[in-house]
Amino acid sequence: MAEQEIEIRVVDALSKIDASDWDSCACPEAATGDRPNDPFTTYRFLSALEDSGSVGTGTGWHPHYLTAYAQGQLIACAPMYLKSHSQGEYIFDHNWAHAYERAGGRYYPKLQIAVPHTPATGRRFLIRPGFEEAGFSALVQGAVQLAQNNRISSLHVTFCTKEEAKRGGDLGLMARTTQQFHWLNHGYESFDDFLSTLSSRKRKNIRKERAQAKAFGGTIETLTGDQIRPEHWDAFWVFYQDTGARKWGTPYLTRRFFDIAQDSLRDDMALVLARRDGQYVAGALNFIGADALFGRYWGCTEHHPCLHFELCYYQAIDFAIARGLGRVEAGAQGEHKLARGYLPSLTHSLHWVGDPGFADAIAQYLRAEQAAVEEDVEILTAYGPFRKANVEEQE
């Protein structure tokens, strides 16, 4: 493509961008009716966050959507936010903020290119097909220039793809490697087919956990699309509030988010609910991508042995196998997932820090951290539940 002038614009509301233009960059595969690879960067998901008040005034997530135009056409965009804290990110920089402020600097506000409250890997630089090189470079340079011009301490791009991490590093951003636990579908035809790849002890333990969970005295159902009704959100909101209050002090999503989800996101969701004596007592919410199931939220009003594992992990595996999905991303952290077939997987982020001395210190830290993370992944994989021959084959 011949060089052409690219204009960078920043807007404070997604409604100022045409939905079809945004999705032409975020999920061009959906133009022919396919499911978006990443449900979280679609216009409908990001607008649900904004319209529900889950981002915006009072949340510490202030929308500053980054866009690039060539000859009046949107060629690239990124979900960018001005942050006044480091909550809801899951690739944490709390220690950086403390160190920066102890040295007399002002860390907040900072710029964050991310999907709020969502530790799921996906493209963060959303580029219209045919503009890959120019669009990526324009967004990176535009974001850094915005930070510099406004004396903002730093820019962070979290849960980007491995390819984006490499390209961003080539443009001078600092790459960071962290880890999650993902279940990978190696063409399994059933849950038992998956179990057959595990060691005998782990296989027996999972069967025992599933039996314990299903003995809670009720039924478990997985709902998608039009199967999800408003009353299901009434129940799930109670679960979500309880978990959100315990984990974060206050839930990240508002009640209105789930009302909007019922209207515009239910086809992107798989809601797993447990019901006993006519009442819903626990639930887990997943989002469906083209080749992945993303586990997001869980909660309960009654505690039953292993019900959490069943709803969050085993039902997700069942769903992925039935739908032919390649993986399940079960959210951030949690080495307890290892025994249940979820292996460590590298995740990536990019960072820019304006202060040269502080940037050098972070760069040294990231190099040491990457070596430690890679060693940890190797050790955890070796101690995973799979029979040794299967681990070697998967590697």
Side-chain angles (χ1 to χ4, degrees):
M1 184 185 73
E3 285 192 16
Q4 55 184 296
E5 183 176 340
I6 297 176
E7 180 187 2
I8 297 294
R9 306 176 193 170
V10 177
V11 298
D12 61 2
L14 201 59
S15 59
K16 296 179 180 179
I17 305 171
D18 183 79
S20 61
D21 283 345
W22 181 279
D23 283 345
S24 292
C25 299
C27 52
E29 65 278 359
T32 56
D34 292 334
R35 184 179 291 280
N37 293 329
D38 182 355
F40 302 115
T41 52
T42 60
Y43 191 95
R44 58 182 176 267
F45 182 85
L46 294 172
S47 63
L49 290 177
E50 189 177 331
D51 294 344
S52 68
S54 300
V55 301
T57 303
T59 68
W61 291 84
H62 301 285
H64 284 68
Y65 302 103
L66 185 66
T67 62
Y69 288 83
Q71 297 181 339
Q73 180 186 46
L74 181 69
I75 64 165
C77 52
M80 188 170 72
Y81 301 84
L82 189 67
K83 293 293 304 296
S84 59
H85 55 61
S86 293
Q87 302 300 319
E89 296 170 12
Y90 301 96
I91 293 179
F92 297 116
D93 62 343
H94 300 294
N95 290 338
W96 303 359
H98 294 157
Y100 195 73
E101 290 173 356
R102 283 198 303 270
R106 184 185 176 202
Y107 194 74
Y108 301 108
K110 63 177 183 173
L111 285 176
Q112 191 86 19
I113 294 177
V115 178
H117 323 310
T118 307
T121 292
R123 289 188 304 129
R124 295 295 172 259
F125 300 97
L126 313 174
I127 303 168
R128 186 184 295 270
F131 295 88
E132 287 80 5
E133 185 174 346
F136 188 90
S137 178
L139 290 178
V140 170
Q141 292 179 36
V144 170
Q145 191 67 53
L146 183 69
Q148 290 175 328
N149 290 350
N150 291 277
R151 297 184 178 180
I152 294 171
S153 71
S154 54
L155 164 71
H156 309 268
V157 184
T158 41
F159 292 101
C160 62
T161 66
K162 182 178 180 180
E163 179 187 9
E164 286 177 324
K166 182 182 184 306
R167 295 180 68 187
D170 291 342
L171 290 176
L173 302 183
M174 295 182 288
R176 186 179 189 184
T177 302
T178 48
Q179 67 164 307
Q180 288 183 340
F181 292 85
H182 298 170
W183 179 85
L184 302 179
N185 186 356
H186 295 282
Y188 302 123
E189 295 183 359
S190 66
F191 196 91
D192 282 341
D193 190 16
F194 155 62
L195 286 181
S196 70
T197 66
L198 305 184
S199 67
S200 175
R201 184 169 63 87
K202 296 299 185 183
R203 184 165 60 245
K204 290 177 181 176
N205 185 63
I206 288 176
R207 284 179 172 150
K208 180 181 177 181
E209 287 185 345
R210 298 205 78 176
Q212 285 181 311
K214 291 178 179 179
F216 79 103
T219 58
I220 296 172
E221 55 189 10
T222 299
L223 309 172
T224 62
D226 291 342
Q227 296 172 325
I228 303 175
R229 306 298 304 159
E231 57 266 28
H232 296 133
W233 295 124
D234 290 336
F236 189 77
W237 173 246
V238 176
F239 309 147
Y240 173 71
Q241 276 189 300
D242 176 68
T243 301
R246 284 186 287 105
K247 280 191 173 183
W248 315 303
T250 182
Y252 289 144
L253 303 178
T254 66
R255 177 65 180 85
R256 177 155 168 70
F257 174 85
F258 297 100
D259 291 333
I260 295 173
Q262 174 63 24
D263 292 334
S264 61
L265 296 172
R266 64 181 184 270
D267 288 339
D268 299 321
M269 293 175 157
L271 181 60
V272 185
L273 293 170
R275 180 160 53 181
R276 191 174 74 87
D277 296 334
Q279 300 292 323
Y280 290 111
V281 299
L285 177 60
N286 306 273
F287 281 78
I288 310 167
D291 194 44
L293 185 70
F294 302 93
R296 288 306 301 115
Y297 302 107
W298 140 270
C300 65
T301 54
E302 295 181 3
H303 295 277
H304 297 275
C306 300
L307 192 59
H308 171 260
F309 300 147
E310 177 64 28
L311 267 59
C312 293
Y313 307 140
Y314 302 142
Q315 288 289 325
I317 291 174
D318 277 336
F319 188 92
I321 291 173
R323 293 290 186 100
L325 301 177
R327 70 187 188 280
V328 177
E329 295 192 18
Q333 305 171 339
E335 291 186 4
H336 61 279
K337 297 168 187 171
L338 185 68
R340 291 157 187 96
Y342 290 73
L343 290 177
S345 179
L346 295 179
T347 53
H348 304 276
S349 59
L350 289 164
H351 307 270
W352 172 89
V353 174
D355 183 273
F358 194 58
D360 286 344
I362 288 178
Q364 292 180 40
Y365 168 80
L366 293 181
R367 285 191 290 271
E369 182 187 48
Q370 179 174 349
V373 168
E374 290 176 349
E375 181 180 7
D376 195 35
V377 166
E378 184 177 351
I379 292 171
L380 288 172
T381 300
Y383 279 93
F386 293 90
R387 297 200 306 261
K388 190 173 187 300
N390 290 100
V391 172
E392 291 173 347
E393 191 175 295
Q394 288 169 21
E395 290 176 345

